[in-house]
Amino acid sequence: MIRTIFREAKQPQPVEKIDNKSGLVKWGDANLYAQFLVGLFQDNPVHGGIVNQKVKFITAGGIEVNSEEQMNNGRSPYTLKEVIDMICLDNEIADAYAVLWKKDLVTGRWAAFPIDFELVRQTKDGVYFEVSDDWSKAKQDPLKTGWRRYKNIQRMTSEDTEVMMYNMTRPKQRKISNRLELTSNYYAIPNYSGAITSIMAGIEMDFFTYAEVVNGWKGGTVIALNNGVPETEEEENKIINRIKTDATDREKQGGLTILFSEGKDQAPEISQMSGNDLDKRYIETGKEILRKIMIAHQVISPALFGVLSESLFGSKEEMEVAYKLFQE
């Protein structure tokens, strides 16, 4: 008997759980929802491309400062231009960003150090922020995970020399899918949240195409060799590896596969578990996914982000109007 088991299609939820012992507000299952958002940005070319293009549009004009000293940003290794670029990227990914401000005890000037948003978590009382290079670890240690704690800039006093500014768009409270839980609004919800399932679907479809190319036998193929079961596992593996090599070697595609048998009764049976041309079935779905991602990002003109429709090549006038609307 063969039993087929399907994977459950789940979307990570922005659950906010308060650790009663430490007062830390965890974000998502295993406290890794922020890292999930980064994965969407890195793994989906359409979503990632739109985010990167928006950041370029926003920051390409640079910034104006009163002096070169301000641009150099004190003793920070980052210029103010670099700080702007980094926090703008975080803001497009998560609708939030973090900056650590440090005071120079000699000059009295403050310098900005951008902190990646996915490393930051809040405390329930709002007094502190905690930062870790690895939130997947249950036990946080300054030496092992780089854990540190900073005071909220809104709670600073004249004695503080390091404070953190965590800026975000305060979200509306919502119910967590399939749970009797509500968000507590400690963390932002990205403005493209309505397209997260579409972004995830696009990632899976791209991986399906890749797996199809690598595996060679398209659509998932079952080969039944009807001339008996090999006596040893070693012999079985030899036969399997021989067929796999002939069928999936990318340098031997288009050749012939010859299987021997003693009569028709013992002839191998080759069955497709799923229909042929599955990749073609995804074409229309892919178009719909693209459209939803564009809408979620409030893209006025796809051509402005390098996506051209089948019937229209973005004209100069269209691009100029779209860019002006985007700026406004």
Side-chain angles (χ1 to χ4, degrees):
M1 181 180 72
I2 298 176
R3 188 176 68 174
T4 302
I5 301 176
F6 294 95
R7 290 189 301 161
E8 286 189 54
K10 291 184 177 180
Q11 176 185 335
Q13 297 295 321
V15 183
E16 296 171 337
K17 294 182 178 179
I18 299 174
D19 187 316
N20 293 325
K21 184 177 181 180
S22 66
L24 183 71
V25 182
K26 298 181 179 180
W27 192 9
D29 292 324
N31 198 19
L32 295 175
Y33 190 78
Q35 283 72 13
F36 162 71
L37 295 179
V38 174
L40 295 181
F41 163 70
Q42 294 177 340
D43 294 343
N44 186 293
V46 175
H47 170 55
I50 293 174
V51 168
N52 282 327
Q53 191 75 332
K54 287 169 78 173
V55 171
K56 288 180 181 178
F57 286 154
I58 295 168
T59 63
I63 58 174
E64 294 182 5
V65 295
N66 296 326
S67 68
E68 186 64 27
E69 183 181 10
Q70 287 179 330
M71 177 64 84
N72 290 336
N73 193 22
R75 295 189 178 182
S76 171
Y78 307 100
T79 66
L80 284 184
K81 175 64 169 64
E82 292 171 331
V83 173
I84 295 294
D85 290 345
M86 285 185 270
I87 66 176
C88 184
L89 177 61
D90 280 0
N91 197 58
E92 289 302 323
I93 295 176
D95 212 9
Y97 62 86
V99 178
L100 176 65
W101 294 92
K102 294 185 179 182
K103 186 177 182 180
D104 190 312
L105 298 181
V106 176
T107 65
R109 294 182 179 274
W110 291 82
F113 295 74
I115 303 293
D116 293 331
F117 83 93
E118 71 271 16
L119 307 183
V120 181
R121 301 294 185 271
Q122 299 192 51
T123 58
K124 179 183 178 181
D125 57 17
V127 177
Y128 294 99
F129 294 102
E130 295 187 9
V131 178
S132 172
D133 297 327
D134 188 357
W135 282 114
S136 67
K137 300 292 189 296
K139 186 176 181 180
Q140 293 296 319
D141 182 274
L143 296 178
K144 295 181 179 180
T145 64
W147 178 90
R148 54 266 193 209
R149 170 179 274 200
Y150 301 109
K151 182 180 283 189
N152 188 337
I153 193 172
Q154 297 179 358
R155 304 293 186 93
M156 70 179 293
T157 65
S158 58
E159 289 79 24
D160 292 318
T161 58
E162 288 187 345
V163 289
M164 177 169 286
M165 177 180 71
Y166 184 86
N167 188 75
M168 71 172 192
T169 302
R170 183 174 174 83
K172 302 294 289 184
Q173 187 182 67
R174 59 164 292 179
K175 177 181 175 297
I176 299 298
S177 178
N178 299 324
R179 305 189 189 195
L180 295 177
E181 296 181 57
L182 299 175
T183 56
S184 301
N185 300 338
Y186 284 96
Y187 302 104
I189 299 296
N191 54 23
Y192 56 83
S193 60
I196 285 180
T197 51
S198 296
I199 294 169
M200 294 172 64
I203 294 171
E204 290 296 323
M205 287 171 61
D206 286 343
F207 192 82
F208 168 82
T209 303
Y210 168 70
E212 283 283 276
V213 173
V214 170
N215 287 307
W217 290 93
K218 306 298 187 287
T221 304
V222 175
I223 300 177
L225 302 178
N226 301 319
N227 56 347
V229 178
E231 295 182 358
T232 65
E233 185 177 348
E234 183 179 357
E235 291 181 8
E236 181 179 327
N237 289 332
K238 283 183 179 180
I239 296 172
I240 292 172
N241 290 333
R242 189 188 315 157
I243 295 176
K244 279 177 58 179
T245 299
D246 291 341
T248 63
D249 190 338
R250 65 190 304 181
E251 296 180 357
K252 298 178 182 179
Q253 295 300 305
L256 296 175
T257 299
I258 301 174
L259 303 175
F260 299 94
S261 65
E262 297 179 359
K264 291 184 178 181
D265 293 340
Q266 297 181 355
E269 295 179 5
I270 302 177
S271 305
Q272 295 290 340
M273 292 185 67
S274 52
N276 293 324
D277 299 326
L278 277 179
D279 56 329
K280 294 180 181 178
R281 301 182 192 180
Y282 282 170
I283 292 177
E284 292 303 318
T285 304
K287 292 178 181 178
E288 182 66 10
I289 286 175
L290 174 61
R291 188 179 70 85
K292 289 179 178 178
I293 294 176
M294 289 284 179
I295 292 173
H297 275 287
Q298 303 173 38
V299 172
I300 298 170
S301 171
L304 190 61
F305 291 83
V307 179
L308 303 180
S309 65
E310 297 177 354
S311 58
L312 177 65
F313 295 91
S315 64
K316 179 182 177 182
E317 292 75 15
E318 178 194 357
M319 297 282 280
E320 289 178 348
V321 171
Y323 184 61
K324 288 180 180 178
L325 289 172
F326 175 82
Q327 283 185 311
E328 292 176 0

